[in-house]
């Protein structure tokens, strides 16, 4: 049975027009527009491990990450935690509930100390329609989410365990950023978390990670994974091939 992370004491913080430059939704707006939006935002700081959003909570505020990182988890009815995705500075979450008015479909927990801004749902919807650049980015983010979910459904239906692990590592690498031929995933998910993401057992992930390391595709360090040959991993995923 899973237990929820503790609700932390929230430290309030100011949101300035310059603060909004760190957020992808607002980065392209001029100073006047950012000043107007900042007046409608509130800031808060959460320590690592704190719960920011509860699954099935009825609140519909939208959050944007100014600094730090969070993890989005889904609690299944049997009591199993399913990590959905990690999010980092510049990204936002909570927009689904703001759009459809439904309760939260997942919980969000701070992976590190986090500084977030919040916008009430009516203000978020007004901003997304009033400012074309913001509305376009909201649509792009929702489209990206749908594409990612579609990829996962296809992978679960068509790929074996090893290839699903490869695809998830590649997805994480792209999210964290590819530099040249390599990418560093930090913080690295645990083997149990990877297993939940690709619907397999932890032992299968441990075995496949070991094979990738022995074949020079992956390197492990304290708290991180480094994909040393992203192009090779891409070919393995695209061609549904093994090592």
């Amino acid at each position: 049975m899973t237990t929820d992370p503790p609700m932390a004491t929230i430290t309030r913080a100011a949101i300035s027009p310059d603060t909004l430059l760190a957020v992808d939704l607002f980065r392209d707006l001029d100073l006047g527009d950012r000043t107007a939006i900042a007046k409608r935002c509130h800031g808060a700081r959460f320590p690592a491990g704190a719960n920011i959003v509860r699954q099935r909570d009825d609140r519909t505020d939208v959050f944007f990450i100014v600094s730090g990182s969070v993890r989005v988890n889904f609690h299944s009815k049997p009591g199993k935690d399913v990590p959905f995705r990690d999010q980092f500075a510049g990204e936002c979450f909570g927009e689904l509930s703001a759009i459809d008015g439904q309760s939260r479909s997942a919980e969000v927990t701070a992976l590190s100390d986090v500084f977030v801004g919040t916008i009430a749902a009516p203000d978020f919807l007004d901003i997304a329609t009033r400012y074309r650049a913001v509305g376009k980015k909201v649509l792009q983010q929702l489209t990206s989410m749908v594409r990612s979910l579609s990829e996962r459904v296809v992978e679960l239906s068509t790929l074996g365990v090893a290839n699903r692990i490869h695809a998830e590592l590649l997805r994480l690498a792209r999210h964290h950023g590819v530099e040249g031929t390599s990418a560093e995933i930090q913080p690295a998910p645990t083997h149990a978390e990877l297993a939940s993401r690709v619907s397999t057992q932890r032992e299968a992930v441990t075995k496949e990670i070991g094979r990738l390391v022995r074949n020079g595709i992956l390197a492990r360090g304290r708290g991180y994974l480094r994909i040393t040959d992203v192009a090779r991993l891409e070919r393995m995923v695209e061609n549904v091939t093994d090592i």
Side-chain angles (χ1 to χ4, degrees), residues 189-210:
T190 66
H191 290 186
E193 289 166 351
L194 273 176
S196 291
R197 290 174 188 237
V198 301
S199 190
T200 189
Q201 301 298 314
R202 179 180 57 80
E203 292 78 10
V205 172
T206 300
K207 179 180 178 181
E208 189 58 29
I209 292 292

Side-chain angles (χ1 to χ4, degrees), residues 96-166:
L96 295 184
S97 291
I99 292 170
D100 65 13
Q102 300 298 307
S103 61
R104 304 293 191 184
S105 57
E107 75 163 26
V108 181
T109 304
L111 284 177
S112 64
D113 291 346
V114 179
F115 176 20
V116 299
T118 64
I119 311 175
D123 288 330
F124 172 76
L125 295 174
D126 179 61
I127 289 167
T129 53
R130 184 184 299 267
Y131 301 97
R132 182 184 295 269
V134 176
K136 182 178 179 180
K137 287 193 174 183
V138 170
L139 290 175
Q140 289 172 336
Q141 290 178 6
L142 294 176
T143 301
S144 176
M145 189 183 303
V146 171
R147 288 185 184 277
S148 178
L149 290 172
S150 298
E151 287 176 0
R152 288 173 182 266
V153 170
V154 172
E155 288 165 6
L156 285 171
S157 301
T158 62
L159 299 183
V161 170
N163 290 121
R164 295 204 303 272
I165 294 169
H166 302 163

Side-chain angles (χ1 to χ4, degrees), residues 12 20 72 100 108 117 119 121 133 172 215 229 238 241:
R12 299 297 178 185
L20 297 182
V72 183
D100 65 13
V108 181
I119 311 175
L172 289 170
N215 284 274
D229 193 341
E238 290 171 1
T241 58

